[in-house]
Amino acid sequence: MSRASIPKAALLVLLVAFLAAPEAFAGLFRPFAPAGTPPIYAQTPLLTLAVNHLLLVAAATLAASLLALGSAIAATRPAGRDVLPFARALANLGQTFPPVAVLALAVPIFGFGTVPTLIALVLYGLLPIFETALTGLEGLDPALMEAARGIGMTDRQRLVQVELPLALPMILSGIRLSAVIGLATATIGSTVAASTLGEVIVSGLLTGNTAYVLQGGLVVSALAILIDAGLRALETGAARRAGSHA
C-alpha cells in the first residue's frame, strides 16, 4: 500500500466502523447535541441511509453517463453534427436549472420519494460527462483514426476498439465529477421523502441538533472523498492503457 493510499484506507475503516456501530461514537458528538437529546441519529439506521444514498447516486450517475455518452458519440459522427447544439443546450440546462426547482416540478407528476430526486440528479450530472466525453472523442489523433480506416475497420469497430478506449480517461473524469456532485446534491432528496443521508441533516436543522447535521455532513463528505479516490484510480489506469495503445 502506497503512502498516499493510507489516509484513504484509514478513512474507509473509520467510516465503516461509524456506520456499523454509531453509538460507539456518541461521546464525540454529545457536545454538539442539545441537553437531553440523543447525540446519534437513530430514527433510521445510518448504514441504511448511506446504502440508499449510494444506490440513488449510482443509478443517477449510470443514467446520466448513458445519456451523455450517447449524445457525445452521436454529436461526433459526421451524420450527427446537427445534434451537438441541442445536446449541449440540454446538458447546460440540466446543470444550471436548480435541483430544488426540478424537485418542485417533478413531485406533482411523480409524487414524493426517490423518482423526483433521481430525475434531478440525472439532469444535474449530464454536463460534466457530456463535455469530457466530447473533448475526449474530438481530441483523438487524426492519424490514428486514419490508420484504423486504413486497416479496414468499420465505423463501429473504430468507435469500440479505438475511440472509446482512448477517450476513456476523459470520460471517467466526467463520471467522477458527476458522481461527487451527485453525492452532495442527493441530500436534498430528503425534502421530498427520498431515503438519503439528507434525512439526518434535515432532522438536525429542524430540531436544532448540530450533532445530526455533523453526522450527515461528515458521512457524505467521507463517501465523496472515497468515491473520488476510487474513480481517480480507474481514470489513472485507463490513461495508462490509452497511452500504451496510442
Side-chain angles (χ1 to χ4, degrees), residues 39-195:
I40 300 295
Y41 186 78
Q43 256 189 298
T44 306
L46 289 172
L47 180 57
T48 299
L49 291 175
V51 170
N52 292 343
H53 194 105
L54 285 173
L55 289 175
L56 178 60
V57 172
T61 304
L62 176 60
S65 298
L66 293 174
L67 288 171
L69 183 56
S71 299
I73 291 172
T76 52
R77 303 307 97 182
R81 286 294 176 179
D82 292 340
V83 174
L84 180 56
F86 173 76
R88 178 163 277 151
L90 180 61
N92 278 308
L93 177 63
Q95 184 73 31
T96 56
F97 203 72
V100 174
V102 176
L103 292 179
L105 293 172
V107 166
I109 301 171
F110 299 101
F112 288 88
T114 299
V115 175
T117 308
L118 183 63
I119 293 171
L121 292 179
V122 170
L123 290 175
Y124 208 54
L126 285 174
L127 184 62
I129 305 172
F130 176 75
E131 288 294 347
T132 53
L134 196 65
T135 300
L137 291 169
E138 287 185 333
L140 298 177
D141 187 348
L144 286 175
M145 298 301 100
E146 194 58 40
R149 291 189 189 92
I151 62 175
M153 281 188 172
T154 64
D155 290 344
R156 181 182 179 85
Q157 287 173 328
R158 285 199 307 273
L159 174 64
V160 174
Q161 298 178 31
V162 180
E163 294 181 62
L164 288 178
L166 291 177
L168 186 58
M170 286 294 295
I171 295 169
L172 286 175
S173 71
I175 292 173
R176 173 173 55 82
L177 180 58
S178 180
V180 171
I181 291 173
L183 277 165
T185 308
T187 55
I188 68 171
S190 292
T191 61
V192 293
S195 178

